[in-house]
Amino acid sequence: MKNNNSNTKLILLHPYIQKQGSSNKLWLLAFISFFTIAFLLTLVYTRESITSKPTAAGIIAVTGGGVGGAAPLPTTVVNTLLHYASKSNDSFHMSYSELKPISDVLRKCSSPCNFLVFGLTPETLLWKSLNHNGRTVFIEENRYYAAYFEEIHPEIDVFDVQYTTKMNETKELIASAKEQIHNECRPVQNLLFSDCKLGLNDLPNHVYEVDWDVILIDGPRGNGPESPGRMQPIFTAGVLARSKKGGSLKTHVFVHDYYRDVEQMSGDEFLCRENMVERNDMLAHFMVERMEESSFQYCRNKNNSSSSTKASVS
């Protein structure tokens, strides 16, 4: 009889082996679960972001913003700005009757409105605010004041310019421009390349390329025979208006302190009395029309312009 005990084999499974295999499976399951949850969360978040994020078109539709569709300042805001600006303690501030015509034109101007201003004045921040959806550029004769003003108001675009005229040379300069009307002082040209004594040719290049809708001349100084006077900005404004390539057909040009002889003489000659649409004691409003490059005439009615200039000089 065989001894079964001698053939019996004992197999002993160590518990550590089972535990190790189970542990590896658990780690693998946890790893897969983690990435599955992360993927699902990312997918849900992305879909919500896409559906909830407003598009540019949606923003424009809701706010009325965007180029050409920006909402104008409310009437109450405009009236409030004009009221407080006209009540300024500054001795040289504009009155309400002077501010209102400029404000009305800016409000009716197609957005974005291009507004060029000669002179930093007590109304500088007002002009920037009233044309809040447009481009407003200031030209100043005092380079140090221009730098200071731009430092404390970085939102203001101001460029300094060196005027080369004197008020006691007004008659000679106007006569010289009329003599050069077929050459350097043409009514339609890019003044950047001009040597006309009344033309400003050292402004930033882009100033000559913009189709300005509104131009305000409230500088430089004009309170003495050695002051530069406003012959150059008046002549320059007339050329910029007549040389436009696009935009509106006519340009609004305002000349402040129009009671003075230099402003009237230059305005009658280069902006033309026939283009004047409004005037009060201090402010003249012209609408100057774009002209063909072959035009060599500042005013259609030369007799009126010449006679008014002679009367003012005499």
Side-chain angles (χ1 to χ4, degrees):
M1 184 174 180
K2 294 182 179 179
N3 189 354
N4 293 332
N5 292 335
S6 62
N7 295 327
T8 302
K9 294 182 179 180
L10 179 63
I11 300 176
L12 178 63
L13 297 177
H14 197 284
Y16 176 75
I17 297 177
Q18 294 179 341
K19 184 178 181 181
Q20 185 178 26
S22 176
S23 176
N24 288 338
K25 291 180 180 180
L26 289 175
W27 275 109
L28 179 61
L29 180 61
F31 184 81
I32 295 173
S33 301
F34 172 79
F35 277 97
T36 301
I37 294 173
F39 173 78
L40 291 174
L41 289 175
T42 303
L43 181 62
V44 172
Y45 177 79
T46 303
R47 291 184 61 185
E48 289 180 351
S49 299
I50 293 174
T51 56
S52 62
K53 185 177 181 179
T55 62
I59 294 175
I60 294 174
V62 173
T63 64
V67 176
L73 284 175
T75 302
T76 52
V77 174
V78 173
N79 290 338
T80 302
L81 290 172
L82 294 178
H83 171 77
Y84 284 106
S86 65
K87 302 299 181 182
S88 169
N89 292 327
D90 194 293
S91 302
F92 302 100
H93 73 273
M94 286 187 180
S95 65
Y96 183 84
S97 62
E98 298 160 49
L99 298 171
K100 189 66 165 58
I102 305 173
S103 170
D104 290 343
V105 168
L106 289 175
R107 293 203 70 194
K108 296 175 183 177
C109 184
S110 299
S111 181
C113 185
N114 295 319
F115 186 22
L116 180 64
V117 183
F118 288 90
L120 290 177
T121 68
E123 291 78 33
T124 295
L125 297 180
L126 174 67
W127 303 138
K128 175 66 175 179
S129 300
L130 292 179
N131 192 34
H132 74 295
N133 289 320
R135 173 188 300 177
T136 307
V137 173
F138 297 88
I139 308 297
E140 169 59 29
E141 62 173 312
N142 188 326
R143 68 190 322 182
Y144 301 105
Y145 184 58
Y148 165 76
F149 198 91
E150 198 170 32
E151 182 179 353
I152 61 176
H153 298 289
E155 74 280 7
I156 299 294
D157 292 326
V158 54
F159 303 97
D160 64 276
V161 64
Q162 185 68 40
Y163 291 101
T164 58
T165 56
K166 294 182 180 179
M167 287 184 59
N168 55 17
E169 303 171 342
T170 301
K171 291 184 289 184
E172 291 79 3
L173 289 169
I174 291 178
S176 174
K178 294 169 69 175
E179 291 175 1
Q180 295 291 320
I181 195 170
H182 290 276
N183 193 7
E184 296 297 335
C185 299
R186 301 186 306 278
V188 180
Q189 62 170 310
N190 187 338
L191 287 173
L192 182 63
F193 309 105
S194 174
D195 289 326
C196 181
K197 293 180 179 179
L198 281 180
L200 291 172
N201 60 4
D202 59 345
L203 298 174
N205 291 7
H206 71 271
V207 172
Y208 303 102
E209 298 170 358
V210 173
D211 295 320
W212 299 105
D213 298 297
V214 185
I215 301 176
L216 169 62
I217 300 166
D218 201 7
R221 292 168 294 119
N223 53 357
E226 297 296 318
S227 300
R230 297 177 182 174
M231 303 84 73
Q232 278 188 294
I234 289 175
F235 176 85
T236 299
V239 172
L240 291 174
R242 296 182 177 95
S243 305
K244 290 169 64 171
K245 302 298 183 183
S248 57
L249 182 64
K250 295 184 178 181
T251 302
H252 296 269
V253 181
F254 293 92
V255 183
H256 194 224
D257 298 319
Y258 202 73
Y259 67 93
R260 300 188 298 207
D261 290 340
V262 170
E263 279 77 2
Q264 290 189 36
M265 292 166 60
S266 303
D268 285 351
E269 189 62 50
F270 303 121
L271 299 178
C272 308
R273 182 171 296 183
E274 68 206 35
N275 295 326
M276 185 184 293
V277 296
E278 185 180 7
R279 177 186 173 182
N280 56 35
D281 293 338
M282 297 287 289
L283 187 73
H285 177 195
F286 299 85
M287 291 186 67
V288 183
E289 189 171 344
R290 183 169 61 225
M291 296 174 61
E292 297 294 331
E293 192 171 353
S294 57
S295 301
F296 297 99
Q297 190 175 1
Y298 300 121
C299 305
R300 294 186 180 89
N301 193 336
K302 296 176 63 176
N303 293 331
N304 282 352
S305 176
S306 300
S307 62
S308 63
T309 301
K310 291 178 182 177
S312 298
V313 173
S314 60

